[in-house]
């Protein structure tokens, strides 16, 4: 195992952030720490009084339904990951009331060797409507926020298929980010079995095995890192890899995922990737090369608009994007898959 140097800091924005400034930050396509973005939230004020104070704030409102919690034994060191043979995940799932779960976190905070505990990605407006009403992010009023609660845990670097603003409410969160082009240096794991929805990096960032994962050193040289305090937030651009560490005995984060600028009815790029693996990856190399040329021409438009030489009425599937056009494409694909 090799100790690597501290990553570069993520750029920061401090002060009042309006919609125009936020649009400029997003257009740059780079992560930004937004210091104090939600410092005025009542939940952040409650968290300033300590773990039991924020637990009391959360307990004012009974949750509307059970939640799913995950737990890993103390031997895992807080890392939600795989078993050594990669045959299954190293944590278990259960359901219960959120109030009971938060009580378990308070109890676990007194243990010298606590299990890793988390409730992840619960819809706040559905689960805790009063919390949602009191703690709003004016920048993203159209996005339904989600809440993440746990103790000292680590989530491996992974990517989301959306933009993300993550707001630290209680405790501390350390984010380590990698640009999408670092994928080959991050050694992604399985599509089918993953602790994070999308494939995760198989490298333990706390103790990277550079004999097994030599290219990771290149990824780490480009990594960026920041620690959020209560009231801080971070903007994570579309598909940026991010590893997340919760550093306290009780941590609460609220995040906002959204996609913008995509035509209504468009297909999923992630589904297209899986279809590409099905249809192209196992071809002989000379045929794969031909299909790479096809994709570069028709999809990535490396030579410009692939149908600009055709009259508008003859452009077929390359017409102006619309829900009707996308529906027609899906019907064609369904026919080909029969």
């Amino acid at each position: 195992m090799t100790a690597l140097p501290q990553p570069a800091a993520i750029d920061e924005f401090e002060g009042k952030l309006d919609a125009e400034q936020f649009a400029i930050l997003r257009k740059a396509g780079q992560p930004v720490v937004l210091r104090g973005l939600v410092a005025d939230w009542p939940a952040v004020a409650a968290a300033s009084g300590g773990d039991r104070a924020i637990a009391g704030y959360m307990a004012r409102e009974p949750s509307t339904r059970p939640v799913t919690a995950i737990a890993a034994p103390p031997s895992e060191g807080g890392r939600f990951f795989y078993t050594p043979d990669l045959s299954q995940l190293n944590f278990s799932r259960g359901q219960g009331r959120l109030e009971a779960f938060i009580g378990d976190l308070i109890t676990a905070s007194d243990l010298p060797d606590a299990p890793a505990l988390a409730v992840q990605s619960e819809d706040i407006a559905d689960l805790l409507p009063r919390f949602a009403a009191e703690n709003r992010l004016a920048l993203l009023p159209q996005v339904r926020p989600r809440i993440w609660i746990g103790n000292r845990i680590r989530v491996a670097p992974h990517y989301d298929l959306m933009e993300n603003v993550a707001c630290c409410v209680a405790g501390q969160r350390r984010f380590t980010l990698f640009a999408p082009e670092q994928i080959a240096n991050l050694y992604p794991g399985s599509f089918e079995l993953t602790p994070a929805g999308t494939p995760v990096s198989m490298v333990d960032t706390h103790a990277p095995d550079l004999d097994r994962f030599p290219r990771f050193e290149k990824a780490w040289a480009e990594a960026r890192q920041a620690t959020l305090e209560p009231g801080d937030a971070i903007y994570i651009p579309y598909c940026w890899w991010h590893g997340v560490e919760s550093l306290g005995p009780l941590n609460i984060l609220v995040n906002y995922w959204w996609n913008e600028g995509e035509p209504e009815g468009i297909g999923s790029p992630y589904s297209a990737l899986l279809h590409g693996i099905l249809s192209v990856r196992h071809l002989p190399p000379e045929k794969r090369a031909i299909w790479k040329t096809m994709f570069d021409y028709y999809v990535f438009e490396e030579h410009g608009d692939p149908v600009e030489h055709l009259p508008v009425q003859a452009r077929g599937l390359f017409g102006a994007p619309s829900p009707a056009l996308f529906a027609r494409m899906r019907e064609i694909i369904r026919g080909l898959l029969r």
Side-chain angles (χ1 to χ4, degrees):
M1 307 301 175
T2 303
L4 295 175
Q6 183 74 14
I10 298 172
D11 290 343
E12 298 189 3
F13 180 98
E14 190 161 1
K16 186 173 178 58
L17 181 67
D18 61 30
E20 183 177 352
Q21 291 168 319
F22 185 47
I24 293 171
L25 291 179
R26 290 177 55 221
K27 189 173 182 179
Q30 298 293 314
V32 184
V33 173
L34 307 170
R35 294 291 181 196
L37 181 70
V38 295
D40 60 346
W41 279 9
V44 172
S48 68
D51 292 348
R52 283 176 167 75
I54 184 61
Y57 176 85
M58 301 293 291
R60 300 172 314 148
E61 173 187 15
S63 55
T64 60
R65 55 170 173 75
V67 295
T68 297
I70 60 176
S75 59
E76 298 300 328
R79 188 185 187 204
F80 289 133
F81 198 60
Y82 296 96
T83 55
D85 64 0
L86 306 185
S87 65
Q88 55 187 320
L89 302 175
N90 69 346
F91 53 86
S92 57
R93 300 180 187 273
Q95 282 206 326
R97 306 303 302 185
L98 181 62
E99 300 88 324
F101 174 79
I102 293 175
D104 290 342
L105 289 179
I106 295 295
T107 299
S109 67
D110 295 326
L111 300 177
D113 197 15
L117 303 169
V119 164
Q120 299 183 314
S121 192
E122 293 283 353
D123 185 307
I124 304 177
D126 175 55
L127 180 68
L128 299 168
R130 182 177 176 184
F131 183 103
E134 292 178 348
N135 302 277
R136 295 178 177 272
L137 185 59
L139 287 174
L140 297 168
Q142 77 283 9
V143 181
R144 292 181 71 90
R146 310 190 75 84
I147 195 165
W148 308 67
I149 307 172
N151 56 1
R152 293 183 177 92
I153 59 176
R154 289 196 287 144
V155 176
H158 61 285
Y159 56 90
D160 298 326
L161 304 173
M162 292 169 281
E163 296 179 71
N164 187 7
V165 167
C167 307
C168 182
V169 172
Q172 293 178 310
R173 298 263 176 162
R174 180 183 296 132
F175 285 80
T176 305
L177 271 60
F178 305 86
E181 57 265 27
Q182 292 299 322
I183 184 171
N185 300 326
L186 291 169
Y187 298 89
S190 168
F191 278 84
E192 302 96 320
L193 181 66
T194 168
T198 56
V200 305
S201 172
M202 299 303 293
V203 185
D204 185 347
T205 56
H206 278 201
D209 184 346
L210 296 184
D211 291 330
R212 184 180 176 193
F213 306 115
R215 293 193 305 272
F216 181 73
E217 193 165 9
K218 296 179 181 179
W220 193 255
E222 301 297 325
R224 306 181 205 178
Q225 193 173 82
T227 299
L228 303 189
E229 303 289 341
D232 295 338
I234 185 171
Y235 168 66
I236 303 175
Y238 180 84
C239 276
W240 272 64
W241 292 74
H242 51 288
V244 188
E245 300 171 68
S246 304
L247 304 179
L250 197 162
N251 306 274
I252 300 175
L253 180 132
V254 171
N255 90 297
Y256 297 77
W257 276 318
W258 80 101
N259 272 321
E260 193 172 306
E262 298 181 356
E264 183 183 354
I266 193 172
S268 162
Y270 195 74
S271 298
L273 175 61
L274 294 176
H275 200 146
I277 294 170
L278 166 69
S279 306
V280 179
R281 180 175 182 266
H282 299 287
L283 292 174
E286 64 275 12
K287 291 186 177 180
R288 283 208 312 271
I290 291 170
W291 282 103
K292 183 177 185 301
T293 301
M294 295 278 201
F295 275 77
D296 287 343
Y297 180 72
Y298 284 111
V299 178
F300 300 108
E301 300 187 345
E302 288 198 354
H303 303 280
D305 185 348
V307 295
E308 65 180 352
H309 56 283
L310 297 175
V312 172
Q313 71 274 13
R315 292 181 180 180
L317 298 182
F318 288 87
S322 69
L325 179 66
F326 296 139
R328 182 182 169 201
M329 290 184 187
R330 287 187 172 89
E331 187 59 34
I332 292 171
I333 291 171
R334 278 193 290 267
L336 293 173
L337 290 175
R338 291 192 184 109

